[in-house]
Structure formats: C-alpha cells, structure tokens
Amino acid sequence: MATALETVKDYTGSEYKYGFTTPVEEERFPPGLDEDVVRRLSAIKREPAWLTEWRVAALRRWQTMTLPDWQKPTFPPIDFQAISYYAAPKQKERPKSLDEIDPEIRRTYDKLGIPIREQEILAGVAVDYVFDSVSVATTFKKKLEELGVVFCSISEAVQEHPELVRKYLGSVVPPGDNFFAALNSAVFSDGSFVYVPKGVRCPMELSTYFRINAAGTGQFERTLIIADEGSYVSYLEGCTAPMRDENQLHAAVVELVALDDAEIKYSTVQNWYPGDKDGKGGIYNFVTKRGACRGRRSKISWTQVETGSAITWKYPSCILQGDDSVGEFYSVAVTNNHQQADTGTKMIHIGKRTRSRIVSKGISAGRSDNTYRGLVRILKSAEGARNHTQCDSMLIGEHCGAHTVPYIEVHNRTARCEHEATTSKISEDQLFYCRQRGISEEDAVALIVNGFCREVMNELPMEFAVEARKLLGISLEGSVG
Amino acid sequence: MLTIENLEVSVEGKPILKGLSLTVEAGRVHAIMGPNGSGKSTLAHVLAGREGYEVTGGSVRFGEEDLLAMEPEERAQAGLFLAMQYPVEIPGVANMYFLRQAINAIRKARGQDEIPAAEFMRKVREQAKLLGIGEELLKRDLNAGFSGGEKKRNEILQMAMLEPRLCILDETDSGLDIDALRTVADGVNRLRSPERAFLVITHYQRLLDYIVPDVVHVMADGRIRRSGGPELARELEERGYEGLLGTRLAA
C-alpha cells in the first residue's frame, strides 16, 4: 500500500502502457453481419441446434431495433456491417495444457503483467484468458473441479454443461433486452462461465482477463455466473486493448444468478484503451451487466473501477427478487481528456425487506464528461425495502463535466430510500498542502483522488486493490498544471 | 541559511511586500510580528512557493540555492517546512498514511530508501505521544473534523517527523487555548538545534513567552521596520504597533 504512489511514478512516460499489438496469425470473418455469419460462428463453435436458433432469433430481433438515444455520451453512427464478428488466434485445437499455448500469446500476457501460469504471486486467483473472440487458457481448473466448481470459457461450458447453460443463458438479460444485448446474443464469441455448487465457498478469486488484439473487430463476450444455494464466489475481470486510431466496440453481456443464501461478489477493473489526448480512437464499452438475487437472503455485490474506454456506457444492476436479498453497487469512474462515461446501476426491489446500497464516485478531468445515472425501483411487493444511495463527483480543472441523474420510483409505503450527493473540486489548498510536504503534484492528485474513492477501493479484493490505486493515478496524469 | 534581499511581491497587481530583507542563520529562532495586513503570511506563502503571488523584485537564497526558482515540493525536499495557519482536510487519506507518503517522497528525492515500517511506527508513536496526539487521531482522515488545537499539534507532528532545516510557523498560535499553546511550543522547543532555523510568524507576543526567539522583527506595510532581541516583543506588547513604530498604520 505504501508503495502505490511510488509505482505510479514508474509508469510515468507511457500514457497507455498496454497499447501494443501481438503479431499472431488469426482466423477471422470478413466484416459484416447477417444470418449466415451467425450460423457460421455457431458452427465453428460446434454449438447445439438450440443455441444456433437462439442466436438467430436474437439477430432477427436486433435487426428490428434501433440504437438508443437517451444517453449523455455522443458518438458518430456505428457501421455494424464494417465490423468483423469473429477473430481468433489460429490454433488447431484449444491447447490441452498450459504449456501448449502459442508463445506470442504467452508473451502478451507476460507483458500485461499476468503471466499464464499457476503462479505463486497470484496463488489465490484462477484466471481465464480471453484473447479477442476466444478463451486461450484457464488456470487452476483441476483444483476447482475437486470442489465441484466449474470455471471455464462459455464455449466449453456449452459443450460440457449444456443443461446449465441452457437453463440460465438469457434468463437475466433476455436477448431482446436492449440493442446491444440483442447484438451480443447473436454474435457472442466467448467469455467465462462459473458454477459454484450448493454450500461451496469458492476458495480462490476467479478472474477473467479480456484482451482485444485484432483491428477492425468487436469483442462480444458473454459471462454467466451461477451461485447455487449457500455458495460464495468472488470474481474479477480486467481488460486492456491496443492503441488504435479507430474506435472499437466492446459489447458484453454479464449475467449473474444467486440462489438461496448465495453470494456473488463481482469486481471490474476496466482499462480499455481510452483514446489519445485529442479524443481519437479508444474503445466503446457498451455493456449490459445484471444480477438476479433469485434466492432468499442472497446477495450480489458489484464493484467497478472504470478508468479506460473512450465511452463507458453501462449499469450493472440487481434484481432483488428473493426476500431479504441484498444488492450493492460500488463504483469509481474516472474520465480524462475526451473520455465520456454514463454509468450507474439499477436496483429493482421485488422481495420483502430487500436492501440495496449504492456508492458512486465520479472523477472528471480534462475535457471529459462523467454522468451517474441510476434507478431505484421499489415494487408494491417489496414490503420494508431499503435503499441508500451516495453519489459523489469530483472535478479536476475547468473544462470537464459531472452530472447526476437519479431515478427513484417507490410503490410501497413501508420502503425507505435515501439519496446523498456531493460535488467537489480538488482545491489549490489541498494540492499546495501536499506539495509543501514534499509530494509532487501528480502524486498529490493520485493521493487525493484515492482518498475520495477509498470507500469503493476497500471493496476490491486485496490482490487487485493496489493495481487499481495505481491505475487511478495513471489515468489522471497530466490532468493538472 | 535563508537570505532574503529586497523582496517585492504583489497579489493581483497590489504590492504587499515592498523590499523586505532578512537573514536567518542556522540554529536561530527569528520571530516576525506585525499587525494584520503587514504582509507576514504573504512572506510565509512566498517562501513556501504558493501560487498566486507575483515576485516583482529581490531574491531569496536557501543555502546555496535560488529558492524562488524551485517548485513547492522541491523546497520541501530541500528542508523547508511551513506549519500552516489553516491546515487543509483531505478526506479518505489517513493522517498516518499521508505522513508516510510525505516522508518517503522527501527521502526518494534525496536518493534514500523508503523509511522501514517499524522505524516509522516507532517514531510516529513517540512524537505523537510527546504532542498529546492519540492513536485514534493518527488513523483518522487528515485534518478531517480535527479541532483547531488538534490541527496545529498535527502540524508540529509533521514538522518533527519530516526533520526540516528551516521551519516556518505561520500564526501557529491563532485559535489555541493556553494548554494547547504550551504543548505546541514545547514541541517546537524540542526541535531547536544548532542545524535548524525557525521563522515564527505571530500577531501576539504571547507565543514568544514559550518559544523564546533570538531575534524579533516587527513588520509593517511590507517591510521590516524594527529588529531587536526578545525585549522588543515585550516593548511591543506594552506600546502596541502604532506606539512602537510611531506612525499610524493602515489596517
């Protein structure tokens, strides 16, 4: 912890450290999207007929839909026919052991600081490595299997656990839910699958590392996590992409299901390429994330640290169906230069005595725009439901924007909702104070911002908290002075 | 150690310091007294490198270096410390964590390794105890919700931990009751040493009963008008600024 600031310094000089590309031979579809593309994709993945038809139905649905326009971020029209919907490193078969992985891909992950190894530094973490459209490796599978925990790519899950996939896929985010969810349902390529059986407390953090490498493609991953009765799992995703002048689309869907007394903790450290100083390039991160607390006393907790992407547009949500279930959303969204973020959550209270807590910290610098948008809906059935929302914004400089758009709908008189919001600026006084004590201006900004976000950072798994702190400092480099 | 020559400073075009000269030697405590608006706090801020002040003339040397050419953090790293009149709050940053970041930033700038955790803990506990700062205050967010006295004692704690060569105290006595004043003064006196100099800026003579200065300067209208020994402070207490300086002073 003491070295967090120290390490920020080591990063100075490289604006986006993960912006390299890997020279791998790939197999990819020509740009364009129609039913043929979807059927070919499904065939390559040797999917059962029900899934092929599910995809095709989603595509037809998508073709009737239009891009939403209620969001704050603005961007030029996206030509969906100009995107390639499948790109994968060429390999005859998925490597059977970690030793058979393409050395170039291995080097990529080494460079990213998460070597493909069942390593000691990350001994408490099992990792699924997703490279463009496919999962290339998963560590600690054996160890997890002994406990009955399934952790694999969703493509593997389709082959090996079709009954679970069929039962839960699309049960939280239906294919027609929204424009990007429909698109994802039609063309999703890979992602992670987790099943934790009854009564099992998953002994290690499960983590997926998403890497976009190929140009002119989109990444459409799909993640499905099911926590059976009385189980617990903590899952973390990380993401990076090369620096490119064009914008790349990342439209993921994440579905979580928690049954009676189960708990899922889902953490994200999102560091997609944000574009350059003038706003050129960067990832469009348009993601649908939703968890269903189906069981009584179940709990889903979202923690996100969003520092990357040209545009971040997502609302990790909880459907609090089971009585006494709990939903939490802890978010830090940092925007700098020309980045735009429109993020928040939805807490839908259905069950009795359901509780939700929202803590959102938005930091805007440069010419960026940062919006918190959140919905708390308490249905008639949600006797005694409670929500507490806290939304804090911090502005750095004179040219950025912060907006808070809370929607609160209460249909039950016994419910209690609280909303607190603040907006602050890093003051000259604070900066001067830190500098007078010998701390450089950039380290001072990182220190003050980390303090501002502490409540959220404390929610991150230990192994990743240090990394996330560093990231905050790096994202805001050059934001003052 | 510190040589100020004919320093002229303006704020938003208005001259505040009008040719101030002062030399502070290692091992000595200089007090600067003066009525409100005389430019005392401006002097402290300019020496520490705060933005918003325009130096229009003169020079300041700190040891061998041109102080005015240095960034605020470089001045701190070179051993200049300013105990502030209004220490700021930094929410979410624990007092002790901040202190350690500051120590390590300074050590790093000097090419030294980070302070070992055990050594840091031992030192901070020792110093905190001397200043009557409880463990709980060390863990709280920096200055957040601290009382006036707690803030000032915390400034002295930082000063003790950072071991500067030149300590500037900007109205450290303001808002302190007599017990807190004594604790703070004891803290300062413990730090007096042949290598270290102090510039104690105060409005009232009271602080100087506890921190006995070697030299007292009386400032008015942007200049030092009189200098003398500790007796000058007492004379000032009896006659007031106008009586002492023999002029009517603009408020």
Side-chain angles (χ1 to χ4, degrees), chain B residues 4-247:
Chain B
I4 306 173
E5 281 177 359
N6 287 314
L7 185 62
E8 292 175 19
V9 174
S10 297
V11 177
E12 288 168 359
K14 189 178 174 231
I16 305 289
L17 298 185
K18 303 168 184 171
L20 183 141
S21 296
L22 175 67
T23 303
V24 180
E25 314 79 11
R28 308 265 276 176
V29 176
H30 285 242
I32 295 191
M33 303 184 69
N36 289 332
S38 59
K40 303 189 301 289
S41 283
T42 297
L43 176 64
H45 284 149
V46 169
L47 292 177
R50 196 173 176 141
E51 281 172 34
Y53 298 90
E54 193 194 348
V55 177
T56 53
S59 67
V60 181
R61 301 206 72 78
F62 183 40
E64 294 304 307
E65 294 179 90
D66 176 3
L67 187 74
L68 299 178
M70 297 160 80
E71 293 292 327
E73 57 268 35
E74 292 170 340
R75 301 179 196 204
Q77 290 155 5
L80 183 149
F81 183 94
L82 170 63
M84 307 213 187
Q85 186 176 3
Y86 305 108
V88 295
E89 301 187 0
I90 304 188
V93 177
N95 194 9
M96 204 152 40
Y97 180 73
F98 177 80
L99 192 51
R100 197 162 156 195
Q101 293 295 335
I103 289 174
N104 285 332
I106 289 175
R107 288 173 75 116
K108 194 178 178 190
R110 294 176 184 169
Q112 298 166 327
D113 288 337
E114 288 194 354
I115 188 167
E119 185 189 332
F120 172 77
M121 288 308 292
R122 187 178 50 72
K123 269 185 146 168
V124 74
R125 288 217 170 96
E126 187 184 293
Q127 293 295 336
K129 200 172 168 197
L130 287 168
L131 289 160
I133 293 173
E135 192 85 353
E136 185 257 350
L137 204 67
L138 293 174
K139 288 180 183 157
R140 265 168 51 193
D141 291 355
L142 180 62
N143 290 321
F146 285 24
S147 71
E150 285 170 337
K151 282 183 182 169
K152 295 298 172 71
R153 274 184 284 158
N154 200 50
E155 291 291 288
I156 305 302
L157 172 68
Q158 293 181 355
M159 191 160 99
M161 292 293 291
L162 295 176
E163 300 176 351
R165 284 194 291 155
L166 174 65
C167 307
I168 304 170
L169 285 80
D170 185 12
E171 310 236 4
T172 297
D173 51 336
S174 68
L176 290 189
D177 63 32
I178 194 73
D179 291 332
L181 186 70
R182 201 170 288 169
T183 311
V184 164
D186 288 348
V188 172
N189 287 329
R190 271 195 302 276
L191 294 174
R192 291 175 80 151
S193 82
E195 298 80 40
R196 187 171 287 146
F198 288 83
L199 199 56
V200 180
I201 292 171
T202 179
H203 190 78
Y204 300 106
Q205 191 262 340
R206 170 176 93 141
L207 178 66
L208 304 182
D209 287 342
Y210 299 96
I211 304 173
V212 181
D214 298 302
V215 187
V216 175
H217 307 276
V218 179
M219 234 180 119
D221 195 27
R223 264 183 292 256
I224 286 174
R225 305 286 286 268
R226 276 191 64 180
S227 299
E231 71 286 349
L232 185 61
R234 275 188 291 277
E235 194 187 336
L236 182 65
E237 183 80 352
E238 282 160 28
R239 300 174 56 193
Y241 286 108
E242 289 186 9
L244 185 81
L245 299 172
T247 43

Side-chain angles (χ1 to χ4, degrees), chain A residues 1-10 394 424 427-444 446-455 458 469 481, chain B residues 45 48-51 71-73 75-77 80-84 87-94 97-98 100-106 108 114 139 141-143 154-155 158 162:
Chain A
M1 186 163 149
T3 60
L5 284 174
E6 192 88 345
T7 329
V8 170
K9 276 277 140 197
D10 301 340
M394 179 177 267
S424 57
S427 70
E428 286 293 322
D429 287 347
Q430 285 174 323
L431 282 178
F432 175 65
Y433 191 87
C434 295
R435 295 178 77 188
Q436 209 303 302
R437 299 305 184 244
I439 299 166
S440 73
E441 189 162 38
E442 290 200 327
D443 287 349
L447 185 77
I448 295 164
V449 168
N450 268 303
F452 174 71
C453 303
R454 191 172 62 178
E455 256 178 295
N458 285 348
R469 275 195 198 98
Chain B
H45 284 149
R50 196 173 176 141
E51 281 172 34
E71 293 292 327
E73 57 268 35
R75 301 179 196 204
Q77 290 155 5
L80 183 149
F81 183 94
L82 170 63
M84 307 213 187
V88 295
E89 301 187 0
I90 304 188
V93 177
Y97 180 73
F98 177 80
R100 197 162 156 195
Q101 293 295 335
I103 289 174
N104 285 332
I106 289 175
K108 194 178 178 190
E114 288 194 354
K139 288 180 183 157
D141 291 355
L142 180 62
N143 290 321
N154 200 50
E155 291 291 288
Q158 293 181 355
L162 295 176

